[in-house]
mmCIF file of all heavy atoms in Angstrom:
data_model
loop_
_atom_site.group_PDB
_atom_site.id
_atom_site.type_symbol
_atom_site.label_atom_id
_atom_site.label_comp_id
_atom_site.label_asym_id
_atom_site.label_seq_id
_atom_site.Cartn_x
_atom_site.Cartn_y
_atom_site.Cartn_z
ATOM 1 N N SER A 138 5.041 -26.439 -4.039
ATOM 2 C CA SER A 138 4.941 -25.124 -4.802
ATOM 3 C C SER A 138 4.338 -24.017 -3.804
ATOM 4 O O SER A 138 4.512 -22.904 -4.054
ATOM 5 C CB SER A 138 4.015 -25.332 -5.967
ATOM 6 O OG SER A 138 2.625 -25.419 -5.604
ATOM 7 N N MET A 139 3.688 -24.497 -2.712
ATOM 8 C CA MET A 139 3.178 -23.587 -1.750
ATOM 9 C C MET A 139 4.082 -23.382 -0.574
ATOM 10 O O MET A 139 3.781 -22.650 0.358
ATOM 11 C CB MET A 139 1.783 -24.097 -1.146
ATOM 12 C CG MET A 139 0.806 -24.278 -2.325
ATOM 13 S SD MET A 139 -0.496 -25.447 -1.971
ATOM 14 C CE MET A 139 -1.333 -24.578 -0.561
ATOM 15 N N GLY A 140 5.247 -23.824 -0.735
ATOM 16 C CA GLY A 140 6.361 -23.621 0.365
ATOM 17 C C GLY A 140 6.156 -24.478 1.587
ATOM 18 O O GLY A 140 6.680 -24.146 2.633
ATOM 19 N N ILE A 141 5.303 -25.493 1.489
ATOM 20 C CA ILE A 141 5.052 -26.405 2.596
ATOM 21 C C ILE A 141 6.212 -27.450 2.863
ATOM 22 O O ILE A 141 6.809 -27.925 1.914
ATOM 23 C CB ILE A 141 3.771 -27.122 2.511
ATOM 24 C CG1 ILE A 141 2.576 -26.091 2.529
ATOM 25 C CG2 ILE A 141 3.510 -28.231 3.542
ATOM 26 C CD1 ILE A 141 1.309 -26.622 2.214
ATOM 27 N N ASP A 142 6.540 -27.615 4.155
ATOM 28 C CA ASP A 142 7.464 -28.705 4.506
ATOM 29 C C ASP A 142 6.887 -29.989 4.410
ATOM 30 O O ASP A 142 6.072 -30.427 5.327
ATOM 31 C CB ASP A 142 8.172 -28.385 5.879
ATOM 32 C CG ASP A 142 9.114 -29.329 6.384
ATOM 33 O OD1 ASP A 142 9.492 -30.182 5.530
ATOM 34 O OD2 ASP A 142 9.526 -29.200 7.625
ATOM 35 N N ILE A 143 7.112 -30.718 3.407
ATOM 36 C CA ILE A 143 6.539 -32.076 3.231
ATOM 37 C C ILE A 143 7.438 -33.115 2.703
ATOM 38 O O ILE A 143 8.399 -32.623 1.976
ATOM 39 C CB ILE A 143 5.287 -31.916 2.080
ATOM 40 C CG1 ILE A 143 4.523 -33.317 2.066
ATOM 41 C CG2 ILE A 143 5.791 -31.449 0.801
ATOM 42 C CD1 ILE A 143 3.239 -33.143 1.165
ATOM 43 N N VAL A 144 7.260 -34.278 3.179
ATOM 44 C CA VAL A 144 8.016 -35.427 2.692
ATOM 45 C C VAL A 144 7.001 -36.491 2.149
ATOM 46 O O VAL A 144 5.800 -36.466 2.469
ATOM 47 C CB VAL A 144 8.831 -36.053 3.852
ATOM 48 C CG1 VAL A 144 9.944 -35.042 4.400
ATOM 49 C CG2 VAL A 144 7.917 -36.588 4.963
ATOM 50 N N GLY A 145 7.614 -37.178 1.218
ATOM 51 C CA GLY A 145 6.729 -38.249 0.541
ATOM 52 C C GLY A 145 7.354 -39.665 0.589
ATOM 53 O O GLY A 145 8.613 -39.811 0.692
ATOM 54 N N SER A 146 6.525 -40.722 0.597
ATOM 55 C CA SER A 146 7.003 -42.082 0.484
ATOM 56 C C SER A 146 5.946 -42.970 -0.129
ATOM 57 O O SER A 146 4.739 -42.568 -0.241
ATOM 58 C CB SER A 146 7.394 -42.455 1.887
ATOM 59 O OG SER A 146 6.212 -42.433 2.764
ATOM 60 N N ASP A 147 6.468 -43.961 -0.634
ATOM 61 C CA ASP A 147 5.493 -45.005 -1.231
ATOM 62 C C ASP A 147 6.219 -46.346 -1.161
ATOM 63 O O ASP A 147 7.500 -46.528 -1.246
ATOM 64 C CB ASP A 147 5.236 -44.645 -2.751
ATOM 65 C CG ASP A 147 3.902 -45.290 -3.163
ATOM 66 O OD1 ASP A 147 3.925 -46.486 -3.581
ATOM 67 O OD2 ASP A 147 2.805 -44.560 -3.213
ATOM 68 N N ARG A 148 5.309 -47.397 -1.147
ATOM 69 C CA ARG A 148 5.987 -48.753 -1.113
ATOM 70 C C ARG A 148 6.262 -49.311 -2.481
ATOM 71 O O ARG A 148 6.872 -50.385 -2.518
ATOM 72 C CB ARG A 148 5.028 -49.823 -0.358
ATOM 73 C CG ARG A 148 3.746 -49.970 -1.013
ATOM 74 C CD ARG A 148 2.882 -50.955 -0.180
ATOM 75 N NE ARG A 148 1.758 -51.324 -0.925
ATOM 76 C CZ ARG A 148 0.833 -52.236 -0.321
ATOM 77 N NH1 ARG A 148 1.141 -52.769 0.808
ATOM 78 N NH2 ARG A 148 -0.231 -52.563 -0.998
ATOM 79 N N ASN A 149 5.916 -48.611 -3.517
ATOM 80 C CA ASN A 149 6.006 -49.298 -4.839
ATOM 81 C C ASN A 149 7.390 -48.501 -5.397
ATOM 82 O O ASN A 149 7.438 -47.460 -5.736
ATOM 83 C CB ASN A 149 4.928 -48.661 -5.820
ATOM 84 C CG ASN A 149 5.001 -49.232 -7.219
ATOM 85 O OD1 ASN A 149 5.972 -49.888 -7.552
ATOM 86 N ND2 ASN A 149 3.958 -48.985 -8.041
ATOM 87 N N PRO A 150 8.411 -49.441 -5.537
ATOM 88 C CA PRO A 150 9.733 -48.954 -5.989
ATOM 89 C C PRO A 150 9.749 -48.541 -7.517
ATOM 90 O O PRO A 150 10.689 -47.824 -7.909
ATOM 91 C CB PRO A 150 10.618 -50.225 -5.896
ATOM 92 C CG PRO A 150 9.646 -51.371 -5.924
ATOM 93 C CD PRO A 150 8.379 -50.890 -5.276
ATOM 94 N N LEU A 151 8.683 -48.985 -8.212
ATOM 95 C CA LEU A 151 8.669 -48.676 -9.716
ATOM 96 C C LEU A 151 8.322 -47.275 -10.035
ATOM 97 O O LEU A 151 8.555 -46.705 -11.145
ATOM 98 C CB LEU A 151 7.752 -49.565 -10.430
ATOM 99 C CG LEU A 151 7.968 -51.164 -10.293
ATOM 100 C CD1 LEU A 151 6.942 -51.872 -11.093
ATOM 101 C CD2 LEU A 151 9.439 -51.431 -10.836
ATOM 102 N N ILE A 152 7.759 -46.461 -9.013
ATOM 103 C CA ILE A 152 7.360 -45.094 -9.397
ATOM 104 C C ILE A 152 8.175 -44.062 -8.796
ATOM 105 O O ILE A 152 8.091 -42.749 -9.100
ATOM 106 C CB ILE A 152 5.804 -44.923 -8.924
ATOM 107 C CG1 ILE A 152 5.851 -45.018 -7.415
ATOM 108 C CG2 ILE A 152 4.950 -45.813 -9.494
ATOM 109 C CD1 ILE A 152 4.493 -44.637 -6.689
ATOM 110 N N LEU A 153 9.160 -44.396 -7.999
ATOM 111 C CA LEU A 153 9.885 -43.376 -7.262
ATOM 112 C C LEU A 153 10.723 -42.443 -8.252
ATOM 113 O O LEU A 153 10.756 -41.222 -7.930
ATOM 114 C CB LEU A 153 10.834 -44.013 -6.291
ATOM 115 C CG LEU A 153 10.228 -44.545 -4.961
ATOM 116 C CD1 LEU A 153 11.249 -45.042 -4.028
ATOM 117 C CD2 LEU A 153 9.339 -43.684 -4.359
ATOM 118 N N ASP A 154 11.354 -43.001 -9.221
ATOM 119 C CA ASP A 154 12.117 -42.225 -10.079
ATOM 120 C C ASP A 154 11.162 -41.229 -10.827
ATOM 121 O O ASP A 154 11.535 -39.980 -11.013
ATOM 122 C CB ASP A 154 12.836 -43.057 -11.188
ATOM 123 C CG ASP A 154 13.974 -43.746 -10.625
ATOM 124 O OD1 ASP A 154 14.407 -43.398 -9.527
ATOM 125 O OD2 ASP A 154 14.485 -44.808 -11.292
ATOM 126 N N GLY A 155 10.016 -41.652 -11.209
ATOM 127 C CA GLY A 155 9.021 -40.774 -11.853
ATOM 128 C C GLY A 155 8.509 -39.610 -10.880
ATOM 129 O O GLY A 155 8.384 -38.436 -11.328
ATOM 130 N N VAL A 156 8.397 -39.935 -9.547
ATOM 131 C CA VAL A 156 8.037 -38.903 -8.633
ATOM 132 C C VAL A 156 9.098 -37.857 -8.572
ATOM 133 O O VAL A 156 8.893 -36.617 -8.585
ATOM 134 C CB VAL A 156 7.809 -39.460 -7.184
ATOM 135 C CG1 VAL A 156 7.605 -38.470 -6.127
ATOM 136 C CG2 VAL A 156 6.659 -40.565 -7.234
ATOM 137 N N LYS A 157 10.375 -38.338 -8.351
ATOM 138 C CA LYS A 157 11.473 -37.434 -8.318
ATOM 139 C C LYS A 157 11.609 -36.542 -9.546
ATOM 140 O O LYS A 157 11.924 -35.371 -9.379
ATOM 141 C CB LYS A 157 12.696 -38.199 -7.955
ATOM 142 C CG LYS A 157 12.759 -38.853 -6.595
ATOM 143 C CD LYS A 157 13.968 -39.702 -6.435
ATOM 144 C CE LYS A 157 13.890 -40.417 -5.071
ATOM 145 N NZ LYS A 157 15.108 -41.319 -4.792
ATOM 146 N N GLU A 158 11.370 -37.119 -10.656
ATOM 147 C CA GLU A 158 11.540 -36.403 -11.962
ATOM 148 C C GLU A 158 10.437 -35.286 -12.036
ATOM 149 O O GLU A 158 10.653 -34.197 -12.484
ATOM 150 C CB GLU A 158 11.429 -37.281 -13.066
ATOM 151 C CG GLU A 158 11.784 -36.625 -14.453
ATOM 152 C CD GLU A 158 11.873 -37.444 -15.529
ATOM 153 O OE1 GLU A 158 12.160 -38.744 -15.334
ATOM 154 O OE2 GLU A 158 11.775 -37.035 -16.796
ATOM 155 N N ASN A 159 9.178 -35.632 -11.559
ATOM 156 C CA ASN A 159 8.031 -34.760 -11.633
ATOM 157 C C ASN A 159 8.372 -33.460 -10.704
ATOM 158 O O ASN A 159 8.134 -32.365 -11.096
ATOM 159 C CB ASN A 159 6.766 -35.335 -11.143
ATOM 160 C CG ASN A 159 6.169 -36.199 -12.170
ATOM 161 O OD1 ASN A 159 6.388 -36.097 -13.315
ATOM 162 N ND2 ASN A 159 5.264 -37.058 -11.683
ATOM 163 N N ILE A 160 8.992 -33.688 -9.514
ATOM 164 C CA ILE A 160 9.316 -32.697 -8.596
ATOM 165 C C ILE A 160 10.385 -31.722 -9.092
ATOM 166 O O ILE A 160 10.289 -30.529 -9.221
ATOM 167 C CB ILE A 160 9.713 -33.251 -7.276
ATOM 168 C CG1 ILE A 160 8.497 -33.879 -6.553
ATOM 169 C CG2 ILE A 160 10.281 -32.133 -6.257
ATOM 170 C CD1 ILE A 160 8.902 -34.686 -5.361
ATOM 171 N N ALA A 161 11.477 -32.364 -9.696
ATOM 172 C CA ALA A 161 12.519 -31.638 -10.277
ATOM 173 C C ALA A 161 12.134 -30.857 -11.486
ATOM 174 O O ALA A 161 12.727 -29.841 -11.756
ATOM 175 C CB ALA A 161 13.667 -32.580 -10.526
ATOM 176 N N HIS A 162 11.186 -31.479 -12.280
ATOM 177 C CA HIS A 162 10.783 -30.746 -13.464
ATOM 178 C C HIS A 162 10.289 -29.296 -13.237
ATOM 179 O O HIS A 162 10.466 -28.527 -14.127
ATOM 180 C CB HIS A 162 9.596 -31.581 -14.160
ATOM 181 C CG HIS A 162 9.128 -30.992 -15.475
ATOM 182 N ND1 HIS A 162 9.787 -31.053 -16.636
ATOM 183 C CD2 HIS A 162 7.874 -30.350 -15.711
ATOM 184 C CE1 HIS A 162 9.184 -30.443 -17.511
ATOM 185 N NE2 HIS A 162 7.977 -30.038 -16.998
ATOM 186 N N PHE A 163 9.597 -29.064 -12.085
ATOM 187 C CA PHE A 163 9.159 -27.756 -11.784
ATOM 188 C C PHE A 163 10.080 -26.945 -10.973
ATOM 189 O O PHE A 163 9.673 -25.955 -10.409
ATOM 190 C CB PHE A 163 7.780 -27.948 -11.202
ATOM 191 C CG PHE A 163 6.719 -28.552 -12.041
ATOM 192 C CD1 PHE A 163 6.370 -29.924 -11.696
ATOM 193 C CD2 PHE A 163 6.246 -27.907 -13.103
ATOM 194 C CE1 PHE A 163 5.408 -30.433 -12.556
ATOM 195 C CE2 PHE A 163 5.370 -28.504 -14.061
ATOM 196 C CZ PHE A 163 4.829 -29.754 -13.674
ATOM 197 N N GLY A 164 11.296 -27.491 -10.737
ATOM 198 C CA GLY A 164 12.284 -26.674 -9.948
ATOM 199 C C GLY A 164 12.193 -26.788 -8.442
ATOM 200 O O GLY A 164 12.713 -26.040 -7.743
ATOM 201 N N TYR A 165 11.463 -27.887 -7.924
ATOM 202 C CA TYR A 165 11.311 -27.912 -6.553
ATOM 203 C C TYR A 165 12.259 -29.087 -6.054
ATOM 204 O O TYR A 165 12.764 -29.919 -6.839
ATOM 205 C CB TYR A 165 9.726 -28.403 -6.205
ATOM 206 C CG TYR A 165 8.757 -27.439 -6.745
ATOM 207 C CD1 TYR A 165 7.723 -27.977 -7.497
ATOM 208 C CD2 TYR A 165 8.974 -26.097 -6.501
ATOM 209 C CE1 TYR A 165 6.721 -26.927 -8.013
ATOM 210 C CE2 TYR A 165 7.961 -25.113 -7.029
ATOM 211 C CZ TYR A 165 6.953 -25.623 -7.769
ATOM 212 O OH TYR A 165 6.025 -24.816 -8.293
ATOM 213 N N LYS A 166 12.480 -29.039 -4.710
ATOM 214 C CA LYS A 166 13.270 -30.022 -4.121
ATOM 215 C C LYS A 166 12.408 -30.663 -2.954
ATOM 216 O O LYS A 166 11.947 -30.063 -2.172
ATOM 217 C CB LYS A 166 14.464 -29.499 -3.471
ATOM 218 C CG LYS A 166 15.493 -28.915 -4.520
ATOM 219 C CD LYS A 166 16.829 -28.299 -3.920
ATOM 220 C CE LYS A 166 17.822 -27.901 -5.052
ATOM 221 N NZ LYS A 166 18.954 -27.349 -4.475
ATOM 222 N N GLY A 167 12.391 -32.032 -2.877
ATOM 223 C CA GLY A 167 11.643 -32.703 -1.984
ATOM 224 C C GLY A 167 12.270 -34.043 -1.572
ATOM 225 O O GLY A 167 12.921 -34.634 -2.308
ATOM 226 N N ASP A 168 11.907 -34.584 -0.332
ATOM 227 C CA ASP A 168 12.476 -35.678 0.101
ATOM 228 C C ASP A 168 11.342 -36.903 -0.162
ATOM 229 O O ASP A 168 10.265 -36.792 0.444
ATOM 230 C CB ASP A 168 12.593 -35.561 1.695
ATOM 231 C CG ASP A 168 13.155 -36.905 2.297
ATOM 232 O OD1 ASP A 168 13.542 -37.815 1.568
ATOM 233 O OD2 ASP A 168 13.260 -37.010 3.580
ATOM 234 N N VAL A 169 11.731 -37.919 -1.033
ATOM 235 C CA VAL A 169 10.877 -38.928 -1.267
ATOM 236 C C VAL A 169 11.693 -40.215 -1.106
ATOM 237 O O VAL A 169 12.796 -40.358 -1.556
ATOM 238 C CB VAL A 169 10.415 -38.823 -2.764
ATOM 239 C CG1 VAL A 169 9.420 -39.988 -3.166
ATOM 240 C CG2 VAL A 169 9.776 -37.384 -3.131
ATOM 241 N N SER A 170 11.065 -41.170 -0.411
ATOM 242 C CA SER A 170 11.735 -42.365 -0.056
ATOM 243 C C SER A 170 10.796 -43.627 -0.278
ATOM 244 O O SER A 170 9.512 -43.490 -0.358
ATOM 245 C CB SER A 170 12.129 -42.354 1.347
ATOM 246 O OG SER A 170 11.052 -42.124 2.229
ATOM 247 N N LEU A 171 11.468 -44.753 -0.479
ATOM 248 C CA LEU A 171 10.739 -46.029 -0.500
ATOM 249 C C LEU A 171 10.400 -46.498 0.813
ATOM 250 O O LEU A 171 11.259 -46.966 1.593
ATOM 251 C CB LEU A 171 11.593 -47.077 -1.315
ATOM 252 C CG LEU A 171 10.995 -48.433 -1.504
ATOM 253 C CD1 LEU A 171 9.823 -48.489 -2.283
ATOM 254 C CD2 LEU A 171 12.080 -49.387 -2.040
ATOM 255 N N LYS A 172 9.144 -46.450 1.149
ATOM 256 C CA LYS A 172 8.756 -46.785 2.542
ATOM 257 C C LYS A 172 7.197 -47.149 2.624
ATOM 258 O O LYS A 172 6.493 -46.492 1.891
ATOM 259 C CB LYS A 172 9.008 -45.618 3.511
ATOM 260 C CG LYS A 172 8.845 -46.015 5.004
ATOM 261 C CD LYS A 172 9.142 -44.744 5.794
ATOM 262 C CE LYS A 172 10.534 -44.338 5.723
ATOM 263 N NZ LYS A 172 10.910 -43.188 6.524
ATOM 264 N N ASP A 173 6.889 -48.124 3.336
ATOM 265 C CA ASP A 173 5.500 -48.469 3.579
ATOM 266 C C ASP A 173 4.966 -47.585 4.670
ATOM 267 O O ASP A 173 5.692 -47.161 5.593
ATOM 268 C CB ASP A 173 5.466 -50.028 4.093
ATOM 269 C CG ASP A 173 4.006 -50.523 4.106
ATOM 270 O OD1 ASP A 173 3.275 -50.141 5.141
ATOM 271 O OD2 ASP A 173 3.525 -51.223 3.219
ATOM 272 N N ILE A 174 3.701 -47.276 4.535
ATOM 273 C CA ILE A 174 3.133 -46.448 5.532
ATOM 274 C C ILE A 174 3.155 -46.903 6.956
ATOM 275 O O ILE A 174 3.322 -46.132 7.907
ATOM 276 C CB ILE A 174 1.653 -46.205 5.155
ATOM 277 C CG1 ILE A 174 1.004 -45.081 6.089
ATOM 278 C CG2 ILE A 174 0.822 -47.457 5.211
ATOM 279 C CD1 ILE A 174 -0.367 -44.673 5.697
ATOM 280 N N ASN A 175 3.252 -48.247 7.037
ATOM 281 C CA ASN A 175 3.291 -48.846 8.411
ATOM 282 C C ASN A 175 4.796 -48.645 9.011
ATOM 283 O O ASN A 175 4.914 -48.945 10.295
ATOM 284 C CB ASN A 175 3.027 -50.264 8.418
ATOM 285 C CG ASN A 175 1.505 -50.480 7.929
ATOM 286 O OD1 ASN A 175 0.641 -49.937 8.435
ATOM 287 N ND2 ASN A 175 1.333 -51.374 6.942
ATOM 288 N N ASP A 176 5.693 -48.214 8.238
ATOM 289 C CA ASP A 176 7.060 -48.063 8.685
ATOM 290 C C ASP A 176 7.375 -46.663 8.908
ATOM 291 O O ASP A 176 8.682 -46.377 9.299
ATOM 292 C CB ASP A 176 8.112 -48.793 7.644
ATOM 293 C CG ASP A 176 7.856 -50.291 7.390
ATOM 294 O OD1 ASP A 176 7.500 -50.863 8.496
ATOM 295 O OD2 ASP A 176 8.028 -50.727 6.388
ATOM 296 N N VAL A 177 6.580 -45.713 8.847
ATOM 297 C CA VAL A 177 6.869 -44.265 9.120
ATOM 298 C C VAL A 177 6.955 -44.171 10.610
ATOM 299 O O VAL A 177 6.193 -44.541 11.370
ATOM 300 C CB VAL A 177 5.608 -43.349 8.624
ATOM 301 C CG1 VAL A 177 5.883 -41.901 9.128
ATOM 302 C CG2 VAL A 177 5.572 -43.484 7.097
ATOM 303 N N THR A 178 8.094 -43.430 10.979
ATOM 304 C CA THR A 178 8.391 -43.277 12.535
ATOM 305 C C THR A 178 8.296 -41.947 12.963
ATOM 306 O O THR A 178 8.056 -41.753 14.136
ATOM 307 C CB THR A 178 9.823 -43.928 12.641
ATOM 308 O OG1 THR A 178 10.783 -43.218 11.795
ATOM 309 C CG2 THR A 178 9.894 -45.486 12.470
ATOM 310 N N ASP A 179 8.551 -40.809 12.063
ATOM 311 C CA ASP A 179 8.585 -39.492 12.574
ATOM 312 C C ASP A 179 7.199 -39.038 12.757
ATOM 313 O O ASP A 179 6.158 -39.655 12.405
ATOM 314 C CB ASP A 179 9.278 -38.620 11.559
ATOM 315 C CG ASP A 179 10.701 -38.840 11.498
ATOM 316 O OD1 ASP A 179 11.296 -39.380 12.364
ATOM 317 O OD2 ASP A 179 11.385 -38.557 10.411
ATOM 318 N N ASN A 180 7.023 -37.872 13.459
ATOM 319 C CA ASN A 180 5.798 -37.297 13.799
ATOM 320 C C ASN A 180 5.385 -36.098 12.924
ATOM 321 O O ASN A 180 6.421 -35.328 12.537
ATOM 322 C CB ASN A 180 5.646 -36.848 15.256
ATOM 323 C CG ASN A 180 5.644 -38.058 16.221
ATOM 324 O OD1 ASN A 180 5.010 -39.112 16.000
ATOM 325 N ND2 ASN A 180 6.457 -37.981 17.295
ATOM 326 N N TYR A 181 4.192 -35.954 12.455
ATOM 327 C CA TYR A 181 3.850 -34.788 11.627
ATOM 328 C C TYR A 181 2.609 -34.133 12.049
ATOM 329 O O TYR A 181 1.690 -34.828 12.756
ATOM 330 C CB TYR A 181 3.538 -35.489 10.102
ATOM 331 C CG TYR A 181 4.812 -35.977 9.668
ATOM 332 C CD1 TYR A 181 5.195 -37.445 9.839
ATOM 333 C CD2 TYR A 181 5.813 -35.259 8.924
ATOM 334 C CE1 TYR A 181 6.212 -37.988 9.384
ATOM 335 C CE2 TYR A 181 6.912 -35.888 8.387
ATOM 336 C CZ TYR A 181 7.205 -37.258 8.578
ATOM 337 O OH TYR A 181 8.348 -37.797 8.186
ATOM 338 N N ASP A 182 2.439 -32.872 11.602
ATOM 339 C CA ASP A 182 1.215 -32.118 12.015
ATOM 340 C C ASP A 182 0.112 -32.708 11.244
ATOM 341 O O ASP A 182 -1.123 -32.638 11.710
ATOM 342 C CB ASP A 182 1.403 -30.629 11.633
ATOM 343 C CG ASP A 182 2.519 -30.130 12.564
ATOM 344 O OD1 ASP A 182 2.429 -30.231 13.756
ATOM 345 O OD2 ASP A 182 3.410 -29.552 11.984
ATOM 346 N N VAL A 183 0.258 -33.017 9.953
ATOM 347 C CA VAL A 183 -0.822 -33.478 9.103
ATOM 348 C C VAL A 183 -0.335 -34.421 7.967
ATOM 349 O O VAL A 183 0.816 -34.283 7.462
ATOM 350 C CB VAL A 183 -1.568 -32.243 8.414
ATOM 351 C CG1 VAL A 183 -0.647 -31.485 7.612
ATOM 352 C CG2 VAL A 183 -2.788 -32.733 7.669
#
Side-chain angles (χ1 to χ4, degrees):
S138 74
M139 298 161 68
I141 293 175
D142 180 8
I143 186 171
V144 299
S146 58
D147 201 283
R148 68 179 186 176
N149 184 355
L151 300 179
I152 63 173
L153 287 186
D154 287 343
V156 177
K157 293 176 181 179
E158 188 174 340
N159 279 345
I160 292 172
H162 178 76
F163 299 108
Y165 306 128
K166 294 182 179 180
D168 181 6
V169 184
S170 60
L171 178 64
K172 186 181 297 183
D173 190 278
I174 186 174
N175 298 307
D176 297 326
V177 174
T178 56
D179 291 339
N180 294 317
Y181 299 89
D182 299 302
V183 60

